[in-house]
Amino acid sequence: MSHGPREGARTSQTTPDGPAAGTPQAPVLVMGATGRHGATGPYVVRRLLEEGRNVRALVRRLSGRTDELAAQGVEVVVGDLHDRRSVVRALRDVETAYFTYPIDAGVVAAAANYAAAVREHGAPVRTVVMSMGPAHPGHPSDRGRAQWLAEEVLGWAGLDILVLRIAAAFHENISVLHGRSARERGVIRNCFGDTPVAWINAEDAGELAVAALMHPERFDGPVCYPPGAEEADHATIAALLGEALHRPVRFEPIDPETWRQELVELAATDTTGVVNPDMAGHITAVAAHIAGRGSTRPANRDELRHLIGREPVTLRSFLLAGPATAPGRLGSS
């Protein structure tokens, strides 16, 4: 159930008023500001506020999370990437935007609506796009091919874009996909085989977006492939989970269809909405591709450190801190 805004919160159901007269800088429009898995949107909002930027969040509905955003000074605007008119209204006075979309169906239509809205807006909007390594026309993942096509649409529309195809899996995927089975059965199962995977923490991914918004000169565009911080196979991850849980955890390789079915079953009980059938199909296709061909781009901690301007979070520190093993949690918030 949606909750109304707190008293004094800056919200708009239809049209944002834009910055008040005399406001020195245009707002940065952030999509996905209430996202759960990885939560790059909320992280980008927080960091932009810390940097003294005005932030406008496009959200689909008002809730406790949007109340929190408004309390931080964010201008909350209700709209939807599948409603072009609401995006046009949200773009008022905007010069820079952060575009992200969940691993779910609809990203091509969302990108088309956004592109049309920017063109109707009539003024340049530099857009940072959070993407993924599997964004490629020939990738076996439907979602990977759709993400690539969405980015092509943005380019065809003539938008000023910087696409971050992050060539690594989020640490938080371990929480979402394996946290429950590690806690309850002492096992993690997937079809990655024994192939090492490049990993990145979601906050480091969010910091990449912040850097791209504020320091675009650090990136080669319009499409770039920021690397992960390190590589690890799932037997190593199982051992780290066991260390965090103080009990043995083993890795069991299974075939792609078996894992997809397990994830579909997990989706039926995931109250966060992070896991869905589309995500199940995507991650199993990615895993099978990596198992058969290896990671396409190696991790590079030094390069990632240069891009985000700080030391990246390690997989070990993330897992031993407990977010992947905390009872009752499938993902990060």
Side-chain angles (χ1 to χ4, degrees):
M1 179 180 296
S2 295
H3 303 279
R6 294 175 181 170
E7 184 177 355
R10 300 173 62 199
T11 63
S12 173
Q13 293 280 3
T14 54
T15 59
D17 295 330
T23 298
Q25 62 181 222
V28 179
L29 178 63
V30 176
M31 285 147 274
T34 60
R36 294 177 181 271
H37 177 44
T40 61
Y43 181 86
V44 169
V45 167
R46 175 166 64 82
R47 286 286 293 112
L48 289 174
L49 292 173
E50 290 173 354
E51 295 292 336
R53 301 300 301 271
N54 297 326
V55 178
R56 178 180 297 157
L58 178 68
V59 303
R60 287 183 294 175
R61 62 185 67 87
L62 298 177
S63 67
R65 286 181 174 237
T66 60
D67 289 351
E68 293 173 6
L69 291 174
Q72 296 172 51
V74 175
E75 181 185 2
V76 176
V77 178
V78 177
D80 196 314
L81 284 169
H82 292 283
D83 177 2
R84 180 191 56 79
R85 294 170 299 177
S86 70
V87 180
V88 172
R89 293 190 289 265
L91 283 166
R92 182 177 177 181
D93 302 313
V94 166
E95 298 173 358
T96 311
Y98 174 64
F99 181 99
T100 185
Y101 196 85
I103 300 176
D104 205 347
V107 66
V108 176
N113 275 308
Y114 177 74
V118 171
R119 290 177 64 88
E120 184 174 338
H121 173 61
V125 177
R126 185 170 64 84
T127 303
V128 171
V129 180
M130 177 59 71
S131 183
M132 54 185 171
H136 187 278
H139 200 279
S141 164
D142 291 344
R143 297 282 68 80
R145 296 193 302 274
Q147 180 69 33
W148 169 82
L149 184 55
E151 293 159 16
E152 289 290 290
V153 168
L154 298 176
W156 295 335
L159 271 58
D160 179 6
I161 58 174
L162 176 57
V163 180
L164 303 175
R165 289 183 183 163
I166 297 180
F170 282 12
H171 293 166
E172 289 73 10
N173 284 355
I174 300 168
S175 310
V176 171
L177 305 175
H178 302 303
R180 178 179 295 175
S181 64
R183 291 191 307 271
E184 296 178 357
R185 302 193 303 277
V187 64
I188 62 175
R189 289 157 51 96
N190 62 49
C191 60
F192 279 98
D194 58 2
T195 306
V197 177
W199 295 95
I200 188 171
N201 191 266
E203 290 200 351
D204 290 340
E207 194 65 33
L208 283 168
V210 174
L213 288 164
M214 301 190 64
H215 305 287
E217 70 280 356
R218 296 182 189 175
F219 299 83
D220 296 326
V223 178
C224 58
Y225 290 84
E230 61 195 311
E231 297 174 20
D233 60 27
H234 281 80
T236 299
I237 290 168
L240 288 171
L241 286 170
E243 190 174 345
L245 287 165
H246 306 291
R247 56 172 289 189
V249 177
R250 60 186 174 85
F251 168 59
E252 181 180 326
I254 54 178
D255 65 87
E257 180 56 25
T258 299
W259 193 32
R260 190 189 70 80
Q261 282 297 126
E262 289 187 357
L263 292 178
V264 169
E265 293 171 6
L266 179 63
T269 60
D270 175 18
T271 58
T272 69
V274 171
V275 184
N276 59 65
D278 277 289
M279 182 187 186
H282 166 72
I283 195 65
T284 52
V286 170
H289 187 69
I290 289 176
R293 302 182 58 177
S295 296
T296 55
R297 295 177 184 272
N300 187 326
R301 190 173 189 83
D302 291 340
E303 181 181 347
L304 181 58
R305 182 191 301 112
H306 167 72
L307 290 173
I308 65 176
R310 71 176 191 206
E311 196 66 32
V313 177
T314 67
L315 179 62
R316 179 182 179 84
S317 64
F318 170 78
L319 292 178
L320 295 187
T325 56
R329 294 185 62 183
L330 285 173
S332 63
S333 59

